[in-house]
Amino acid sequence: MAGTDSGRAAFASAARAYEGYEAHACGVIGRMRWAHDTLPEEHRALMPGRAAHFAQMEACAGGNQRVLSAVAAVGHAALFPGAAPVPEGPVPAEVESVAPPATGTGTTRFERLLQKAKDVRQAREKAAVAPPPPSEIDHDRVRSILRHLARDWSDEGRAERAACYTPLLNLLADAFPEEGVACRSGIKVLVPGCGLGRLAYEISRAGFAVEGNEISAYVLMAAGWVLNECPTAEAHVIHPYLHQTANVMSREDMLRGIRIPDVAPAADGAPPSGFGITAGDFLSVYTAPEQAGAWDAVATSFFIDTGRNVFAYIDAIAQCLKAGGRWVNVGPLLYHFSEVQSAACVELTAEELFAAMEARGFRVVWRGTAESTYAANAASMLTVSYRSVCFHAVWDGVSPS
């Protein structure tokens, strides 16, 4: 993906948004401070400590930026694979609070990523490249990445992962009961819309050969960082709920830090089977002839409602699977394009979904529901809960007509 013109543009845009996070966040905080200062003095007196709170918010934004700059460096590495090696040196004082301690006279991998981001940014500035600034949508995507890092890679997200990922892991184990963990390396599992990679990682740890797929440059960069560049558990602190200013019980809830990652994939050693993530649109990548009948199982979590045409997803998954292959799923039917007036979107009920699957050659052997939130703030006064569709289906090898 990063090797194409559109891919390079997407990674470059995401890198700019990551690098510009703190400046934008502090601008938002500045507007909050301005609104506070316009109040009459007697009203400001009812909010003691608010000025210090704004300063704390800015400090938290700076902490987020240190992590996001390291994520941006993953994008720079994809854009500039021939860049000079990152120079060695001591860890800067400003990152010591979140970087794992250096050993000997070397540097941490985190510090080298920060330095690489700085080097590439300075090289771009010298070349007089003036790309467009990030949009509000770009900044919202970066804020979303912070919440998803907490969901997938912290103790904070453990309950959500148990609700959304554990059922899929159990269904896969049930689908291949005769193979123990040590004997699953030949069973290929595809995880479309894999996000930050935790589900694919857990399936790999269960012994399967796993390939995740993701289209978002923002998500791919963050997944690449946490999977490949985090050798120490809980070495970094993010403040993912800093930007939630409504339905907040206390200032401490807004500012609280979340340690990531809860496990360190980069220090986990070789997984028991293959593991990787491909970049690109699911329908474009996995409808290619070489993908036909290539997969023993497909695991989808909060995915099948992300496209305009769910029938195309059903057909693509059927094409990917071997005869007797399994499709396991957990997720709602939110239909992301349903409110986009310029996009035609097919919105099926759950019953219509199952009927369409059976018409296309799937045999649904189990179905149910699962209650969960999604990237939720556990301390928020407002949460949204999904009653997701769960199923285990077998592809009987009849090509879609």
Side-chain angles (χ1 to χ4, degrees):
M1 178 177 172
T4 65
D5 288 344
S6 60
R8 282 190 292 270
F11 273 77
S13 177
R16 289 193 297 273
Y18 278 125
E19 292 169 344
Y21 162 83
E22 184 178 8
H24 182 267
C26 288
V28 173
I29 296 166
R31 289 193 291 275
M32 295 170 64
R33 182 182 282 111
W34 169 81
H36 169 269
D37 291 346
T38 62
L39 291 173
E41 184 176 353
E42 62 268 26
H43 291 167
R44 294 199 303 272
L46 299 175
M47 297 184 290
R50 180 57 69 123
H53 175 64
F54 292 142
Q56 290 174 316
M57 290 182 71
E58 290 170 337
C60 289
N64 285 343
Q65 183 64 73
R66 288 190 285 273
V67 169
L68 296 173
S69 291
V71 172
V74 173
H76 289 313
L79 290 167
F80 306 103
V86 178
E88 297 293 326
V91 179
E94 63 268 21
V95 302
E96 285 181 348
S97 61
V98 293
T103 58
T105 58
T107 61
T108 66
R109 188 184 310 206
F110 183 64
E111 191 273 335
R112 292 195 295 272
L113 280 169
L114 293 180
Q115 184 62 50
K116 185 175 183 65
K118 179 180 178 181
D119 291 346
V120 175
R121 184 166 60 249
Q122 289 176 343
R124 189 173 64 201
E125 290 170 353
K126 290 180 180 179
V129 176
S135 67
E136 188 57 41
I137 292 175
D138 295 326
H139 290 300
D140 188 59
R141 288 168 176 159
V142 173
R143 293 189 290 267
S144 176
I145 289 294
L146 291 169
R147 295 190 297 272
H148 280 78
L149 282 169
R151 178 184 192 256
D152 260 16
W153 294 102
S154 79
D155 280 339
E156 175 94 356
R158 188 182 301 275
E160 275 195 12
R161 294 195 301 273
C164 300
Y165 297 166
T166 300
L168 297 179
L169 293 167
N170 292 339
L171 288 172
L172 286 172
D174 292 343
F176 302 96
E178 66 279 5
E179 294 88 355
V181 173
C183 301
R184 292 172 177 165
S185 60
I187 300 173
K188 297 176 61 180
V189 181
L190 175 64
V191 184
C194 67
L196 295 185
R198 185 59 181 261
L199 173 60
Y201 172 72
E202 295 296 341
I203 295 173
S204 175
R205 290 184 67 188
F208 297 96
V210 184
E211 183 169 292
N213 168 248
E214 178 58 50
I215 189 173
S216 166
Y218 290 83
V219 175
L220 286 163
M221 290 163 64
W225 174 71
V226 75
L227 289 167
N228 300 310
E229 306 293 345
C230 289
T232 306
E234 297 191 336
H236 309 286
V237 177
I238 58 173
H239 306 270
Y241 312 117
L242 176 65
H243 305 285
Q244 180 180 334
T245 56
N247 292 303
V248 178
M249 189 65 72
S250 71
R251 294 172 185 171
E252 290 73 22
D253 288 343
M254 183 190 302
L255 299 174
R256 76 185 192 281
I258 305 296
R259 288 198 168 273
I260 59 169
D262 61 319
V263 297
D268 205 30
S273 55
F275 174 59
I277 294 178
T278 61
D281 173 64
F282 170 68
L283 292 177
S284 298
V285 175
Y286 292 96
T287 56
E290 63 270 18
Q291 296 291 341
W295 300 92
D296 298 286
V298 173
T300 49
S301 177
F302 281 70
F303 173 74
I304 59 175
D305 59 349
T306 61
R308 293 176 172 86
N309 182 356
V310 67
F311 298 116
Y313 278 1
I314 295 171
D315 287 349
I317 291 171
Q319 177 182 320
C320 287
L321 286 170
K322 300 175 181 178
R326 311 304 179 100
W327 179 9
V328 296
N329 174 81
V330 172
L333 299 177
L334 181 62
Y335 298 112
H336 294 207
F337 286 93
S338 62
E339 296 183 0
V340 180
Q341 294 185 356
S342 61
C345 179
V346 179
E347 301 171 68
L348 302 184
T349 67
E351 293 295 339
E352 289 173 327
L353 172 68
F354 289 125
M357 290 171 59
E358 291 174 353
R360 304 307 260 176
F362 283 99
R363 178 165 41 90
V364 179
V365 297
W366 177 84
R367 55 190 283 188
T369 59
E371 299 278 348
S372 77
T373 55
Y374 186 82
N377 177 359
S380 175
M381 296 167 61
L382 173 67
T383 58
V384 176
S385 180
Y386 294 95
R387 187 156 66 100
S388 292
V389 173
C390 306
F391 61 77
H392 175 187
V394 180
W395 167 242
D396 283 328
V398 179
S399 299
S401 58

